[in-house]
Amino acid sequence: MTVTPSSAFTRRTFFGLAGAGLTTVALAACSSPSGSGSGAASSNQTITIWLDTQRAPAIKPIAEKFKKDTGITVKLVVKDFANVDKDFISQVPTGKGPDMIVSPHDKLGSYVQNGVVSPLQLGDKSGDYADVAIQAVTYDGQVYGLPYSIENVALLRNTALVPDVSSTFDEVVSKGKAAQAANAGTVKYPFLLGLDPKQGDPYHMYPLQTSFGSSVFAQKSDGTYDATKLTLGDEAGLKFAAAIKDWGQQGILNANITGDIALDAFDKGQSAYYLTGPWNVPAIKKAGIKYAIDPLPSAGGEQAKPFLGVNAFFISAKSKNKVAATKFLVEYLGTDSAQEALYKVGGRPPALKTAYATVAKSDPDIKSFGDIGLNGVPMPAIPQMASVWADWGSAELQLIKGQGDPTTVWNTAVSNIESKIK
């Protein structure tokens, strides 16, 4: 089975599996930047890339052109995306791994910690990509990946129920309730956000959280995260915790609404609003819902910033073909035509600015999600994130259910997380 790296749930779960299931011994980081180390490019070489079944058709013609131009073969190996990061980390040190891998950026910290990826020298070309995309593939000040797409959540609005955009989250709630009152036979919910019944969903709730000025880890000046500074328990976090409980008591957030239930309800016109990502848009279109894609307006007074996920290509630290792999990534996959081809199979905004500009002209959904994402924050790629999700989400879920004092529940979760990441 191959799974696209587009699902937010898959992204978060995948990271947790990586953190829990792999060696905790940090291996030495790779010693030579790609292009400067082993493996000068030459014909008759073969470089191998691990990827998912969705992206393979888009990359195949690019690989064929690379072969025609250079004589170097690019072998595409479709892998089970649920386990590919574990396979990559376990096989690269043995020399059995690929030369390159397609991966969400939030695996990068684990890859670096285990010494299985090589830095990538983009030079001036780094300015050709969205700043947040470069931030996402940067770790300890070093760029490691070639980004090709970004993804994030946004607020989908049923325009038949609410024709106008709102400027605050309170206004969203008010209009959602008004739609519910005016259409009592069909509209059941003022607002929809799918939750895992056991772990909540801090990923989807993050724009609500950031609008209170609350974050999970502090960011450095270059946008990367400081694993030594867990900010979740600061005063802004406590205000967000209080708001969660209030929203739960109002029925704005509902612990019984899973992702599947939320999508089904929005598809049936049972809510005016749905906080979700581009992965659910095809189903909403198919259902015939007329929608608009809005930035989530602020609930706490500051800008609501969703987590940004970036899909990228990374080069193995043990690749013997780094020169050829770098050439393929930078000169062939870092082009408008390649990034637009990957957009066509993945439906995500390209990370390359010029490709994004082209796609955004013809696809208003991509433009809406992309413009919102460019104001988002990269999901932390630090390995410590694997220790955060469970307590963070459980605290949110507990508050949505109306259980406990917000400050006590939140501080307990923070304390548990701190004990795990020491």
Side-chain angles (χ1 to χ4, degrees):
M1 180 184 74
T2 303
V3 181
T4 172
S6 60
S7 160
F9 177 77
T10 299
R11 177 184 299 282
R12 179 164 66 84
T13 304
F14 197 24
F15 186 92
L17 289 171
L22 299 169
T23 176
T24 57
V25 178
L27 304 178
C30 46
S31 58
S32 62
S34 66
S36 64
S38 58
S42 66
S43 60
N44 301 319
Q45 278 182 279
T46 296
I47 53 177
T48 302
I49 181 169
W50 284 0
L51 72 174
D52 61 283
T53 189
Q54 187 179 34
R55 261 138 283 267
I59 294 176
K60 184 179 178 181
I62 303 169
E64 290 173 347
K65 185 177 190 316
F66 187 69
K67 168 72 173 179
K68 183 178 179 181
D69 292 348
T70 67
I72 300 171
T73 300
V74 179
K75 183 180 179 182
L76 307 181
V77 178
V78 174
K79 298 286 288 186
D80 176 358
F81 196 73
N83 298 304
V84 70
D85 65 331
K86 290 184 289 185
D87 291 346
F88 185 67
I89 291 176
S90 65
Q91 293 194 29
V92 164
T94 71
K96 296 180 180 179
D99 296 289
M100 296 171 285
I101 185 173
V102 177
S103 175
H105 86 274
D106 55 14
K107 312 298 182 293
L108 178 57
S110 183
Y111 293 158
V112 174
Q113 185 182 51
N114 286 279
V116 296
V117 288
S118 178
L120 180 64
Q121 305 297 336
L122 284 177
D124 293 343
K125 289 185 178 296
S126 64
D128 295 343
Y129 296 85
D131 291 344
V132 285
I134 293 297
Q135 284 180 11
V137 296
T138 300
Y139 197 86
D140 284 343
Q142 178 67 59
V143 173
Y144 280 89
L146 183 96
Y148 71 86
S149 72
I150 64 175
E151 63 184 29
N152 50 272
V153 299
L155 185 65
L156 268 69
R157 170 168 47 90
N158 183 325
T159 55
L161 297 173
V162 178
D164 301 318
V165 65
S166 297
S167 57
T168 67
F169 186 65
D170 285 344
E171 192 176 339
V172 166
V173 171
S174 176
K175 289 179 179 178
K177 289 181 176 178
Q180 194 176 4
N183 303 273
T186 55
V187 179
K188 298 180 179 180
Y189 311 102
F191 173 82
L192 286 168
L193 186 158
L195 296 166
D196 183 303
K198 293 183 179 178
Q199 294 191 345
D201 198 330
Y203 174 87
H204 280 81
M205 290 182 63
Y206 203 61
L208 290 169
Q209 180 170 335
T210 53
S211 81
F212 282 82
S214 174
S215 56
V216 58
F217 283 102
Q219 284 183 274
K220 302 175 185 176
S221 58
D222 63 356
T224 58
Y225 288 88
D226 186 344
T228 67
K229 295 182 179 177
L230 182 72
T231 54
L232 198 62
D234 62 15
E235 190 64 28
L238 296 179
K239 290 181 180 178
F240 174 60
I244 294 173
K245 186 164 185 177
D246 181 52
W247 292 327
Q249 291 174 331
Q250 289 188 55
I252 306 305
L253 298 178
N254 186 331
N256 296 317
I257 301 295
T258 66
D260 289 342
I261 291 173
L263 175 59
D264 182 66
F266 194 75
D267 284 352
K268 292 177 178 174
Q270 294 176 351
S271 178
Y273 296 103
Y274 183 21
L275 185 62
T276 189
W279 43 88
N280 281 328
V281 169
I284 292 166
K285 280 184 176 178
K286 187 176 181 181
I289 298 294
K290 303 298 182 185
Y291 62 89
I293 301 169
D294 303 328
L296 183 75
S298 179
E302 299 190 23
Q303 185 178 10
K305 297 181 179 180
F307 270 141
L308 185 77
V310 175
N311 293 309
F313 297 88
F314 299 94
I315 296 177
S316 165
K318 297 295 184 181
S319 171
K320 297 179 181 178
N321 304 295
K322 288 178 182 173
V323 172
T326 300
K327 184 177 182 66
F328 181 64
L329 292 193
V330 176
E331 298 182 19
Y332 286 76
L333 295 181
T335 61
D336 285 4
S337 59
Q339 299 241 331
E340 289 173 28
L342 288 163
Y343 147 74
K344 289 177 182 176
V345 298
R348 303 293 185 271
L352 191 65
K353 292 176 183 176
T354 49
Y356 173 68
T358 299
V359 170
K361 288 180 181 176
S362 60
D363 189 331
D365 290 349
I366 286 294
K367 177 171 174 52
S368 296
F369 273 109
D371 287 355
I372 293 166
L374 294 178
N375 290 314
V377 289
M379 185 148 52
I382 52 178
Q384 288 78 4
M385 277 299 290
S387 300
V388 169
W389 294 112
D391 290 288
W392 187 11
S394 294
E396 291 181 346
L397 201 60
Q398 192 175 343
L399 294 171
I400 291 169
K401 292 178 178 177
Q403 300 170 351
D405 169 69
T407 296
T408 302
V409 169
W410 204 252
N411 283 338
T412 299
V414 170
S415 179
N416 290 341
I417 293 167
E418 287 175 337
S419 67
K420 291 178 180 177
I421 62 178
K422 280 183 179 177

